[in-house]
Amino acid sequence: MLTPEKNGQLTEVGPGTPMGEVLRRHWHPIAGIDELERDPVKPVRLMGEDLVLFKDLGGRYGLVDRQCAHRRADLSYGYVEQEGIRCHYHGWQFDAKGACVAQPFEDHVDPTARLRCKVRLKAYEVRPMAGLLWAYMGPQPVPELPDWEAFHWSNGFVQAVFSEVPCNWLQTQENSIDPVHFEWMHANWSRRLRGDDGGYAPAHLQLAFEEFEHGFVYKRISEDTNEQHPLWTIGRVCLWPNGFFLGDHFEWRVPIDDENTLSVTWSFIRVPRESEPFVQKTIPTWHSPIRDAATGRWITSHIINQDIVAWVGQGRIADRTRENLGASDRGIAMLRRRLFEDIDAVQSGRDPKGVLRARSKEPLFLPSDSRDFFLKGLPLADYRRHPKWNRLLTHFIFHAGQPEWVQREHTEAMGVAIEPMAVLDL
């Protein structure tokens, strides 16, 4: 249980807020590289700030204030030039650093460009990696963008999925250190959604939580596992400060503002050995629906859609003054304590946890309970028989609404066609 003041410290993300300043010290995925190949200008809202993301004709990425410095027109309706983005209203042009590089009429009447030299837009760093575009909104010097080992695994079909979720970032991130929800939300609830009213999934018996340099690891033993099982010996990663790594995919929870979150999923699906070598030219990114178009109800058929139902059910900003934490919530308490420590660190002029200042010679390692499979793969026949990974051959289990064009690319890569999935079966 938190006081209203403490809850506000963790959930408010605008400029100058305690948590907003912590999160601005980190890189965040905000769009797909291929999105800007389809349309080079994209309006975005991040941590309470309205911005425009673009790729100019010279190949440079920019993230600047959405409103033109002239008379505040919306630059998301602007168009890209060889250098930067041009406002559709009077033609003022800004580069990726926010500098004004053209004011057509003003430059005509004043060739010395005195006004232009004084004008700048707020601008943030953008870098591409692993099919995603990443933004850094904090102070200089800019930290290193984490380069995770999984980004370099070969022979995999990768896709990234975005959803806008109408709730605060923290209740989505707390899901990353809550192992018991998997038993009830994904296993038992899915059984009931499929109409199976008999029996329950194996119950959790033991939990452990450990902190390490890149976040926390949670470990678990359930009725069908023991102390030799990878879920206990290796575990899953609550990636700092707003991510989750489950061995085969990442999830990030990027604050749009205090009451909305951008859910980002990066998924690696190993191709069968018969499809090797497989080299993916472009990583497809797409947006997943979260409501059923016919009923208006939340979609409940896929893993992250089920998570979303729980997140939004807590309200726009969860009222932590009214909760009752139990033994399964020890990780939640650890996460919150560390966030408060991060607030103190930033207010004292120090980096929060997880900020990288030195570039690593090798990609950064994260524990994965099935790393051998991702590195070595399986023949198709063994893949089909595998108790866990077989479902990834024919279903994208994480998000509803996978577009047909992505399904076609998946089928071409895997050699196996995607099949319709009514409700998750774990």
Side-chain angles (χ1 to χ4, degrees):
M1 181 183 297
L2 297 179
T3 65
E5 294 74 22
K6 290 287 189 181
N7 197 36
Q9 286 182 27
L10 295 184
T11 57
E12 294 171 4
V13 296
T17 60
M19 186 51 57
E21 291 304 304
V22 169
L23 292 172
R24 280 169 172 77
R25 267 64 178 180
H26 295 273
W27 288 91
H28 302 280
I30 61 170
I33 290 175
D34 70 328
E35 282 190 87
L36 268 69
E37 298 300 321
R38 297 191 291 267
D39 186 342
V41 180
K42 178 181 174 67
V44 296
R45 182 168 168 82
L46 296 172
M47 289 188 272
E49 300 186 41
D50 290 313
L51 307 166
V52 60
L53 174 68
F54 65 88
K55 182 182 181 181
D56 68 21
L57 298 178
R60 290 171 289 267
Y61 294 104
L63 181 64
V64 300
D65 194 335
R66 192 179 304 177
Q67 292 185 290
C68 178
H70 180 206
R71 285 170 52 196
R72 312 301 288 162
D74 185 348
L75 284 174
S76 72
Y77 290 92
Y79 48 94
V80 292
E81 300 280 16
Q82 186 65 29
E83 182 181 13
I85 187 169
R86 189 183 292 276
C87 181
H88 63 286
Y89 199 13
H90 296 96
W92 285 27
Q93 183 177 337
F94 302 88
D95 68 13
K97 299 295 184 182
C100 189
V101 295
Q103 296 174 341
F105 186 76
E106 284 69 21
D107 290 344
H108 171 71
V109 299
D110 179 12
T112 64
R114 287 174 294 179
L115 176 60
R116 174 156 53 86
C117 293
K118 297 177 182 178
V119 173
R120 293 193 70 89
L121 288 178
K122 174 174 58 182
Y124 295 121
E125 295 274 343
V126 180
R127 293 181 189 170
M129 181 180 286
L132 298 170
L133 293 174
W134 302 73
Y136 174 75
M137 301 174 66
Q140 301 291 320
V142 177
E144 294 296 322
L145 173 58
D147 183 11
W148 306 111
E149 181 205 32
F151 291 165
H152 300 274
W153 288 344
S154 61
N155 291 305
F157 180 77
V158 175
Q159 60 195 296
V161 189
F162 299 86
S163 293
E164 292 192 12
V165 183
C167 70
N168 183 262
W169 81 280
L170 184 58
Q171 60 221 58
T172 70
Q173 180 59 10
E174 287 175 337
N175 188 79
S176 304
I177 199 163
D178 177 9
V180 173
H181 93 275
F182 189 91
E183 171 190 341
W184 289 98
M185 169 166 285
H186 300 309
N188 287 328
W189 189 28
S190 292
R191 293 182 182 194
R192 297 304 186 266
L193 289 170
R194 294 195 306 273
D196 181 356
D197 58 1
Y200 292 92
H204 282 77
L205 303 176
Q206 189 172 350
L207 303 177
F209 303 90
E210 301 170 1
E211 186 168 5
F212 77 123
E213 61 180 325
H214 300 307
F216 291 85
V217 173
Y218 73 66
K219 301 179 177 183
R220 59 187 179 184
I221 297 175
S222 53
E223 290 175 326
D224 60 340
T225 63
N226 55 37
E227 293 183 353
Q228 284 72 52
H229 195 278
L231 286 176
W232 182 256
T233 60
I234 297 174
R236 298 276 172 80
V237 176
C238 172
L239 190 63
W240 209 252
N242 59 334
F244 195 13
F245 179 62
L246 294 93
D248 64 320
H249 75 277
F250 290 89
E251 300 173 24
W252 292 276
R253 291 73 189 257
V254 181
I256 296 173
D257 50 37
D258 292 352
E259 296 188 349
N260 298 277
T261 300
L262 181 66
S263 168
V264 183
T265 301
W266 185 97
S267 165
F268 176 94
I269 302 175
R270 176 77 190 212
V271 303
R273 285 184 184 161
E274 287 85 345
S275 297
E276 299 176 11
F278 172 72
V279 178
Q280 192 171 24
K281 295 179 181 178
T282 302
I283 293 176
T285 66
W286 51 280
H287 289 254
S288 170
I290 63 174
R291 286 187 184 272
D292 185 288
T295 66
R297 297 274 289 175
W298 305 112
I299 295 172
T300 59
S301 53
H302 292 61
I303 290 179
I304 296 174
N305 292 94
Q306 293 177 348
D307 289 326
I308 288 171
V309 176
W311 303 340
V312 299
Q314 297 173 62
R316 287 282 189 162
I317 302 176
D319 184 357
R320 293 173 178 80
T321 69
R322 302 177 63 185
E323 64 188 8
N324 296 277
L325 299 187
S328 67
D329 301 307
R330 188 159 59 90
I332 302 290
M334 294 170 68
L335 177 148
R336 294 177 186 175
R337 283 196 298 269
R338 172 52 72 180
L339 289 175
F340 282 122
E341 291 171 7
D342 279 359
I343 289 174
D344 292 341
V346 169
Q347 292 178 346
S348 300
R350 295 177 284 114
D351 281 334
K353 179 181 177 66
V355 170
L356 302 176
R357 290 297 176 188
R359 178 172 296 180
S360 174
K361 294 181 180 179
E362 300 291 335
L364 299 170
F365 173 82
L366 291 174
S368 169
D369 59 356
S370 298
R371 189 166 178 269
D372 282 349
F373 165 64
F374 301 130
L375 293 178
K376 299 176 183 177
L378 288 171
L380 180 58
D382 293 340
Y383 209 145
R384 289 186 184 278
R385 289 191 292 265
H386 195 280
K388 180 177 181 180
W389 301 117
N390 66 330
R391 63 178 64 90
L392 295 183
L393 278 171
T394 53
H395 303 298
F396 186 69
I397 65 175
F398 303 114
H399 281 278
Q402 187 183 45
E404 289 185 4
W405 64 273
V406 179
Q407 293 182 6
R408 289 194 297 270
E409 290 187 15
H410 175 278
T411 298
E412 183 177 349
M414 306 294 288
V416 178
I418 285 282
E419 299 174 3
M421 188 184 91
V423 179
L424 180 71
D425 184 3
L426 293 178

